[in-house]
Amino acid sequence: MKLLEGKTAVITGAGRGIGLSIAEVFVQNGANVALTDLAFGAETDEFLKNYGSQTTIKTYKSDASDFDNSAKLIEEIVKDFGRIDILVNNAGITRDSALKRMTEEQWDLVLKINLKSVFNMTKAVQPVMWKQANGSIINMSSVVGVSGNANQANYSASKAGMIGFTKSIARELGIRNIRCNAIAPGFIETKMTEQLPEDIRQEWIKTIPLRRGGKPEDVANVALFLASDLSSYVSGQVINVCGAMNT
Ligand code: NAD
Protein backbone atom coordinates (compact mmCIF):
# COMPACT_ATOMS: atom_id res chain seq x y z
CA MET A 1 0.00 0.00 0.00
CA LYS A 2 1.34 3.42 -1.01
CA LEU A 3 1.79 6.08 1.70
CA LEU A 4 -0.96 8.40 0.40
CA GLU A 5 -3.32 5.83 -1.17
CA GLY A 6 -6.94 7.08 -1.04
CA LYS A 7 -5.96 10.58 0.14
CA THR A 8 -6.73 13.82 -1.67
CA ALA A 9 -4.27 16.71 -1.57
CA VAL A 10 -4.66 20.39 -2.49
CA ILE A 11 -1.43 22.22 -3.32
CA THR A 12 -1.25 25.98 -3.95
CA GLY A 13 1.41 27.43 -6.26
CA ALA A 14 1.68 23.97 -7.82
CA GLY A 15 2.34 25.08 -11.41
CA ARG A 16 6.10 24.74 -11.05
CA GLY A 17 9.01 24.53 -8.60
CA ILE A 18 8.57 23.08 -5.12
CA GLY A 19 4.75 22.86 -5.43
CA LEU A 20 4.92 20.81 -8.62
CA SER A 21 7.60 18.57 -7.14
CA ILE A 22 5.33 17.92 -4.14
CA ALA A 23 2.52 17.02 -6.57
CA GLU A 24 4.85 14.56 -8.30
CA VAL A 25 5.94 12.84 -5.07
CA PHE A 26 2.34 12.75 -3.80
CA VAL A 27 1.06 11.11 -7.02
CA GLN A 28 3.94 8.62 -6.95
CA ASN A 29 2.68 7.71 -3.49
CA GLY A 30 -0.92 7.23 -4.59
CA ALA A 31 -2.57 10.58 -3.77
CA ASN A 32 -5.25 12.27 -5.86
CA VAL A 33 -4.10 15.84 -6.36
CA ALA A 34 -5.72 19.23 -7.00
CA LEU A 35 -3.05 21.59 -8.35
CA THR A 36 -3.87 25.27 -7.92
CA ASP A 37 -1.98 28.25 -9.31
CA LEU A 38 -2.49 31.64 -10.97
CA ALA A 39 -1.53 30.05 -14.30
CA PHE A 40 -0.12 26.79 -15.65
CA GLY A 41 2.60 26.37 -18.27
CA ALA A 42 4.91 23.87 -19.94
CA GLU A 43 6.14 22.31 -16.66
CA THR A 44 2.58 21.43 -15.63
CA ASP A 45 1.84 20.04 -19.12
CA GLU A 46 4.88 17.76 -18.84
CA PHE A 47 3.74 16.63 -15.37
CA LEU A 48 0.23 15.85 -16.64
CA LYS A 49 1.70 13.93 -19.59
CA ASN A 50 3.85 11.79 -17.25
CA TYR A 51 1.42 11.29 -14.36
CA GLY A 52 -2.06 12.19 -15.67
CA SER A 53 -3.30 8.61 -15.77
CA GLN A 54 -1.83 7.40 -12.44
CA THR A 55 -4.33 9.00 -10.03
CA THR A 56 -7.02 11.67 -10.30
CA ILE A 57 -5.27 14.97 -11.02
CA LYS A 58 -6.99 18.27 -11.77
CA THR A 59 -5.71 21.82 -12.27
CA TYR A 60 -7.52 24.91 -10.96
CA LYS A 61 -6.63 28.50 -11.86
CA SER A 62 -7.06 30.43 -8.65
CA ASP A 63 -5.55 33.27 -6.61
CA ALA A 64 -4.81 31.98 -3.11
CA SER A 65 -4.46 35.55 -1.82
CA ASP A 66 -8.12 36.25 -2.65
CA PHE A 67 -10.50 35.26 0.16
CA ASP A 68 -13.64 34.59 -1.95
CA ASN A 69 -11.65 32.87 -4.68
CA SER A 70 -10.17 30.46 -2.12
CA ALA A 71 -13.58 29.62 -0.64
CA LYS A 72 -15.00 28.92 -4.13
CA LEU A 73 -11.94 26.85 -5.03
CA ILE A 74 -12.30 24.56 -2.01
CA GLU A 75 -16.03 24.16 -2.72
CA GLU A 76 -15.23 23.11 -6.29
CA ILE A 77 -12.49 20.68 -5.20
CA VAL A 78 -14.80 19.03 -2.66
CA LYS A 79 -17.41 18.62 -5.42
CA ASP A 80 -14.81 17.05 -7.72
CA PHE A 81 -12.95 14.84 -5.22
CA GLY A 82 -15.41 14.31 -2.37
CA ARG A 83 -12.86 15.01 0.38
CA ILE A 84 -9.63 16.86 1.23
CA ASP A 85 -7.06 15.15 3.46
CA ILE A 86 -4.01 17.32 2.82
CA LEU A 87 -3.58 21.05 2.21
CA VAL A 88 -0.16 22.36 1.19
CA ASN A 89 0.01 26.15 1.40
CA ASN A 90 2.97 26.62 -0.92
CA ALA A 91 2.22 29.72 -3.04
CA GLY A 92 4.75 32.45 -2.40
CA ILE A 93 6.72 35.33 -3.88
CA THR A 94 9.68 37.56 -3.01
CA ARG A 95 10.04 41.31 -3.49
CA ASP A 96 13.45 41.80 -1.90
CA SER A 97 14.72 45.23 -0.97
CA ALA A 98 16.61 47.06 1.76
CA LEU A 99 14.15 48.56 4.23
CA LYS A 100 15.12 52.11 3.23
CA ARG A 101 13.99 51.41 -0.36
CA MET A 102 11.12 49.00 0.38
CA THR A 103 7.80 50.41 -0.81
CA GLU A 104 4.44 49.97 0.85
CA GLU A 105 3.34 48.02 -2.26
CA GLN A 106 6.25 45.56 -1.88
CA TRP A 107 5.37 45.04 1.77
CA ASP A 108 1.62 44.62 1.19
CA LEU A 109 1.95 42.30 -1.80
CA VAL A 110 4.34 39.87 -0.08
CA LEU A 111 2.23 39.76 3.09
CA LYS A 112 -0.96 39.26 1.04
CA ILE A 113 0.36 36.49 -1.18
CA ASN A 114 2.52 34.64 1.34
CA LEU A 115 0.54 35.02 4.57
CA LYS A 116 -3.05 35.99 3.86
CA SER A 117 -3.29 33.12 1.37
CA VAL A 118 -2.54 30.69 4.21
CA PHE A 119 -5.41 32.12 6.24
CA ASN A 120 -7.75 32.06 3.20
CA MET A 121 -7.06 28.46 2.24
CA THR A 122 -6.89 27.04 5.77
CA LYS A 123 -10.13 28.77 6.75
CA ALA A 124 -11.86 27.37 3.64
CA VAL A 125 -10.61 23.82 4.20
CA GLN A 126 -11.19 23.74 7.96
CA PRO A 127 -14.90 22.72 7.90
CA VAL A 128 -14.11 19.90 5.46
CA MET A 129 -11.33 18.46 7.63
CA TRP A 130 -13.35 19.11 10.81
CA LYS A 131 -16.21 16.99 9.43
CA GLN A 132 -13.80 14.23 8.41
CA ALA A 133 -12.02 14.44 11.82
CA ASN A 134 -8.81 14.11 9.84
CA GLY A 135 -6.40 16.35 8.00
CA SER A 136 -2.82 17.45 7.51
CA ILE A 137 -2.01 21.08 6.72
CA ILE A 138 1.52 21.89 5.57
CA ASN A 139 2.71 25.48 5.35
CA MET A 140 5.75 26.34 3.23
CA SER A 141 7.66 28.79 5.38
CA SER A 142 11.41 29.44 5.05
CA VAL A 143 14.59 29.42 7.14
CA VAL A 144 14.49 33.22 6.93
CA GLY A 145 11.16 33.10 8.76
CA VAL A 146 13.07 31.46 11.61
CA SER A 147 16.29 33.49 11.51
CA GLY A 148 15.44 36.71 9.61
CA ASN A 149 17.43 37.99 6.65
CA ALA A 150 18.79 41.37 5.54
CA ASN A 151 16.91 42.84 2.56
CA GLN A 152 13.99 40.45 3.09
CA ALA A 153 12.07 42.10 5.94
CA ASN A 154 8.75 41.66 4.09
CA TYR A 155 9.41 38.04 3.07
CA SER A 156 10.89 37.04 6.47
CA ALA A 157 7.95 38.62 8.32
CA SER A 158 5.46 36.76 6.11
CA LYS A 159 7.27 33.45 6.66
CA ALA A 160 7.57 34.03 10.43
CA GLY A 161 3.84 34.84 10.45
CA MET A 162 3.19 31.46 8.83
CA ILE A 163 5.00 29.76 11.71
CA GLY A 164 2.84 31.53 14.32
CA PHE A 165 -0.25 30.58 12.33
CA THR A 166 0.92 26.94 12.06
CA LYS A 167 1.45 26.59 15.81
CA SER A 168 -1.90 28.22 16.60
CA ILE A 169 -3.84 26.02 14.18
CA ALA A 170 -2.12 22.90 15.53
CA ARG A 171 -3.29 23.85 19.03
CA GLU A 172 -6.79 24.82 17.90
CA LEU A 173 -7.67 21.97 15.54
CA GLY A 174 -5.74 19.10 17.12
CA ILE A 175 -8.90 18.07 18.96
CA ARG A 176 -10.36 16.94 15.58
CA ASN A 177 -7.19 15.07 14.51
CA ILE A 178 -6.18 17.92 12.22
CA ARG A 179 -2.43 18.41 12.19
CA CYS A 180 -0.59 21.52 11.04
CA ASN A 181 3.15 21.77 10.43
CA ALA A 182 5.54 24.10 8.63
CA ILE A 183 8.50 23.32 6.42
CA ALA A 184 11.36 25.83 6.42
CA PRO A 185 13.41 25.28 3.26
CA GLY A 186 16.85 26.84 2.95
CA PHE A 187 18.34 27.54 -0.46
CA ILE A 188 16.40 25.43 -2.97
CA GLU A 189 17.22 25.49 -6.70
CA THR A 190 14.04 26.75 -8.41
CA LYS A 191 12.92 29.64 -10.64
CA MET A 192 12.63 31.75 -7.46
CA THR A 193 16.35 31.40 -6.67
CA GLU A 194 17.41 31.41 -10.36
CA GLN A 195 16.80 35.17 -10.29
CA LEU A 196 19.84 35.63 -8.00
CA PRO A 197 23.17 36.58 -9.60
CA GLU A 198 25.61 33.63 -9.85
CA ASP A 199 28.16 35.14 -7.41
CA ILE A 200 25.44 35.53 -4.73
CA ARG A 201 24.27 31.93 -5.33
CA GLN A 202 27.83 30.70 -4.85
CA GLU A 203 28.21 32.76 -1.64
CA TRP A 204 25.01 31.17 -0.28
CA ILE A 205 26.22 27.68 -1.12
CA LYS A 206 29.49 28.26 0.79
CA THR A 207 27.41 28.82 3.95
CA ILE A 208 25.65 25.45 3.61
CA PRO A 209 27.38 22.58 5.46
CA LEU A 210 26.12 20.04 2.88
CA ARG A 211 27.73 22.31 0.22
CA ARG A 212 24.86 22.29 -2.28
CA GLY A 213 21.56 23.95 -2.90
CA GLY A 214 18.54 21.79 -2.09
CA LYS A 215 16.46 20.17 -4.81
CA PRO A 216 12.67 20.61 -4.88
CA GLU A 217 12.44 16.82 -4.20
CA ASP A 218 14.35 17.32 -0.93
CA VAL A 219 11.45 19.49 0.25
CA ALA A 220 8.78 17.29 -1.36
CA ASN A 221 10.00 14.22 0.54
CA VAL A 222 9.53 16.03 3.86
CA ALA A 223 6.06 17.14 2.72
CA LEU A 224 5.32 13.46 1.98
CA PHE A 225 6.26 12.52 5.54
CA LEU A 226 4.08 15.30 7.00
CA ALA A 227 1.16 14.44 4.70
CA SER A 228 1.26 10.73 5.49
CA ASP A 229 0.24 8.79 8.58
CA LEU A 230 3.95 8.26 9.34
CA SER A 231 3.75 11.66 11.05
CA SER A 232 0.42 11.05 12.81
CA TYR A 233 1.80 12.35 16.17
CA VAL A 234 3.72 15.31 14.67
CA SER A 235 1.90 18.65 14.79
CA GLY A 236 2.76 22.29 15.44
CA GLN A 237 6.36 21.77 14.30
CA VAL A 238 8.72 23.53 11.92
CA ILE A 239 11.06 21.25 10.00
CA ASN A 240 14.11 22.93 8.47
CA VAL A 241 15.16 21.47 5.10
CA CYS A 242 18.36 23.42 4.59
CA GLY A 243 21.46 21.21 4.49
CA ALA A 244 22.26 22.27 8.09
CA MET A 245 22.40 25.98 7.19
CA ASN A 246 20.12 26.60 10.21
CA THR A 247 20.77 24.43 13.25
P1 NAD B 1 8.30 29.45 -7.65
O1 NAD B 1 8.32 30.91 -7.91
O2 NAD B 1 9.05 28.55 -8.59
O3 NAD B 1 6.78 28.92 -7.53
C1 NAD B 1 5.82 29.61 -6.80
C2 NAD B 1 4.47 29.37 -7.44
O4 NAD B 1 3.48 30.09 -6.68
C3 NAD B 1 4.39 29.89 -8.89
O5 NAD B 1 3.92 28.88 -9.75
C4 NAD B 1 3.42 31.07 -8.79
O6 NAD B 1 2.63 31.26 -9.96
C5 NAD B 1 2.55 30.64 -7.60
N1 NAD B 1 1.82 31.78 -7.03
C6 NAD B 1 2.28 33.03 -6.79
N2 NAD B 1 1.29 33.79 -6.31
C7 NAD B 1 0.18 33.03 -6.23
C8 NAD B 1 -1.16 33.25 -5.82
N3 NAD B 1 -1.56 34.45 -5.39
N4 NAD B 1 -2.04 32.22 -5.88
C9 NAD B 1 -1.66 31.01 -6.32
N5 NAD B 1 -0.40 30.73 -6.72
C10 NAD B 1 0.50 31.73 -6.68
O7 NAD B 1 8.83 29.29 -6.15
P2 NAD B 1 9.41 28.02 -5.35
O8 NAD B 1 10.87 28.23 -5.20
O9 NAD B 1 8.88 26.76 -5.90
O10 NAD B 1 8.76 28.33 -3.93
C11 NAD B 1 7.60 27.67 -3.43
C12 NAD B 1 7.42 28.08 -1.97
O11 NAD B 1 8.59 27.71 -1.21
C13 NAD B 1 7.24 29.59 -1.78
O12 NAD B 1 6.29 29.82 -0.75
C14 NAD B 1 8.61 30.04 -1.32
O13 NAD B 1 8.56 31.21 -0.54
C15 NAD B 1 9.07 28.83 -0.49
N6 NAD B 1 10.52 28.76 -0.35
C16 NAD B 1 11.34 28.64 -1.44
C17 NAD B 1 12.71 28.60 -1.24
C18 NAD B 1 13.68 28.47 -2.39
O14 NAD B 1 14.89 28.52 -2.13
N7 NAD B 1 13.25 28.25 -3.60
C19 NAD B 1 13.25 28.65 0.05
C20 NAD B 1 12.37 28.77 1.13
C21 NAD B 1 11.01 28.82 0.91
Side-chain angles (χ1 to χ4, degrees):
M1 171 118 170
K2 291 177 173 172
L3 278 175
L4 302 181
E5 198 85 61
K7 292 188 193 279
T8 295
V10 179
I11 308 168
T12 67
R16 67 181 201 196
I18 292 171
L20 188 58
S21 184
I22 293 173
E24 205 169 315
V25 168
F26 280 12
V27 171
Q28 285 164 355
N29 283 276
N32 300 316
V33 177
L35 285 82
T36 83
D37 207 311
L38 293 174
F40 296 98
E43 286 173 64
T44 324
D45 292 343
E46 182 70 17
F47 167 77
L48 292 172
K49 203 171 85 194
N50 294 337
Y51 293 98
S53 58
Q54 294 202 13
T55 62
T56 307
I57 304 170
K58 284 182 187 287
T59 56
Y60 301 82
K61 269 193 203 168
S62 177
D63 179 354
S65 73
D66 184 292
F67 185 81
D68 294 337
N69 228 244
S70 302
K72 279 198 198 101
L73 169 73
I74 293 298
E75 230 174 76
E76 206 181 328
I77 293 173
V78 171
K79 250 187 230 144
D80 292 346
F81 289 85
R83 58 184 297 115
I84 298 173
D85 304 280
I86 303 151
L87 168 65
V88 185
N89 286 310
N90 167 77
I93 59 160
T94 52
R95 289 293 181 274
D96 298 349
S97 166
L99 183 62
K100 64 181 170 192
R101 281 187 294 275
M102 190 176 286
T103 63
E104 186 184 3
E105 287 72 28
Q106 285 173 318
W107 173 270
D108 286 347
L109 188 67
V110 168
L111 269 289
K112 184 170 183 241
I113 293 184
N114 295 4
L115 185 57
K116 184 166 184 256
S117 64
V118 178
F119 163 73
N120 293 343
M121 292 294 292
T122 308
K123 183 158 168 69
V125 95
Q126 185 248 343
V128 182
M129 290 183 171
W130 187 270
K131 207 162 142 200
Q132 292 169 184
N134 177 52
S136 173
I137 299 163
I138 301 164
N139 294 327
M140 202 56 67
S141 179
S142 165
V143 286
V144 307
V146 179
S147 62
N149 199 25
N151 303 317
Q152 286 198 307
N154 52 356
Y155 183 75
S156 305
S158 72
K159 295 299 183 180
M162 284 173 80
I163 292 173
F165 185 85
T166 299
K167 294 184 177 188
S168 303
I169 294 306
R171 286 179 185 269
E172 193 172 321
L173 303 186
I175 193 164
R176 288 293 285 176
N177 193 32
I178 299 168
R179 299 183 293 109
C180 186
N181 291 286
I183 298 177
F187 185 87
I188 310 297
E189 312 259 7
T190 66
K191 289 237 159 59
M192 185 179 265
T193 44
E194 247 176 36
Q195 300 162 7
L196 292 171
E198 188 53 27
D199 52 327
I200 296 190
R201 279 165 49 86
Q202 290 309 324
E203 279 309 307
W204 265 84
I205 287 170
K206 274 191 212 149
T207 67
I208 302 170
L210 287 180
R211 288 294 184 277
R212 66 170 179 89
K215 298 192 190 77
E217 307 89 87
D218 293 322
V219 179
N221 287 330
V222 175
L224 170 64
F225 166 70
L226 291 174
S228 79
D229 296 340
L230 287 179
S231 60
S232 57
Y233 202 52
V234 180
S235 191
Q237 305 305 308
V238 183
I239 302 186
N240 290 352
V241 182
C242 63
M245 194 165 78
N246 255 24
T247 57

